């Protein structure tokens, strides 16, 4: 495959869509028989990574999982389906959205149980940042998510900058107290 085919300048959002289905077993649950939050986050991270791999065709690392809503519990024996796609790509990073549904295997009832946004960064085999193709949204939903991804990136950057300032202020205060 030529370099251009492997790494085009633009890739459609549809081409990044990924899906995973799991049956919830006793090892996945707490003492109430509900899926553990950490286990759900693990499934979300994996499904999101699949979309990021498909978009970048590179190694990816999770930089942030910045928004997750646990809407309702998932029960032992439920079938969990997770779907992901890249919402938008920037320079070396991509925002991926993941939506999760649980299906009651006896009644067939399907409910939306969680949603999350994650940021992945593409790196080469030495861990150096690698540029990624731009993401091309095509449907109204994909366009809405694409536009939202820019607002969320700005919000994320503002929060990171506030955290850095708070850290510097705490370090400066500690220096003053100790001297
Ligand atoms: C993610 C990581 C590669 C970023 O490296 P860095 O040197 O801080 O990179 P930069 O500040 O130059 O930012 C590079 C990109 O990452 C994005 N980024 C960095 N930190 C981020 C954060 N906390 N949240 C969202 N995006 C982030 C930047 O916006 C930038 O995106 P762009 O190139 O599309 O504009 C680095 O912090 C890292 O390796 N973290 C650990 C990842 C990891 O171990 N994850 C868990 C297991 S996979």
């Amino acid at each position: 495959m030529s370099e251009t085919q492997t790494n085009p300048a633009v890739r459609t959002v549809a081409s990044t869509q990924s899906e995973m289905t799991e049956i919830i077993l006793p090892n996945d649950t707490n003492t109430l028989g509900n899926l553990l939050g950490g286990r759900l986050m693990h499934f979300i991270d994996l499904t999101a990574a699949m979309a990021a791999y498909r978009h970048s065709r590179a190694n990816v690392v999770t930089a942030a999982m910045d928004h997750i809503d646990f809407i309702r519990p998932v029960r032992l024996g439920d079938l969990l389906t997770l779907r992901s796609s890249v919402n938008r790509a920037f320079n070396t990073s991509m925002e991926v959205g993941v939506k999760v549904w649980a299906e009651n295997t006896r009644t067939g009832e399907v409910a939306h149980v969680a949603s999350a946004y994650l940021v992945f960064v593409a790196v080469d085999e030495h861990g150096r940042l690698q540029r990624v193709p731009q993401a091309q949204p095509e449907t109204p939903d994909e366009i809405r998510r694409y536009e939202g991804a820019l607002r969320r990136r700005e919000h994320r950057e503002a929060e990171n900058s506030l955290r850095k300032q708070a850290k510097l202020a705490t370090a400066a205060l500690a220096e003053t107290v100790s001297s």
Side-chain angles (χ1 to χ4, degrees), residues 156-176:
R156 229 173 264 131
E157 285 173 349
E159 274 195 335
N160 284 345
S161 154
L162 278 178
R163 265 200 299 271
K164 274 184 198 150
Q165 282 171 27
K167 216 168 162 183
L168 285 176
T170 310
L173 188 64
E175 180 76 18
T176 315

Side-chain angles (χ1 to χ4, degrees), residues 61-64 90-93 119 121 123 129 153 156-157 160:
V61 294
T62 315
F90 297 96
N91 302 303
T92 64
S93 68
V119 178
V121 176
V123 292
L129 300 176
R153 175 178 162 96
R156 229 173 264 131
E157 285 173 349
N160 284 345

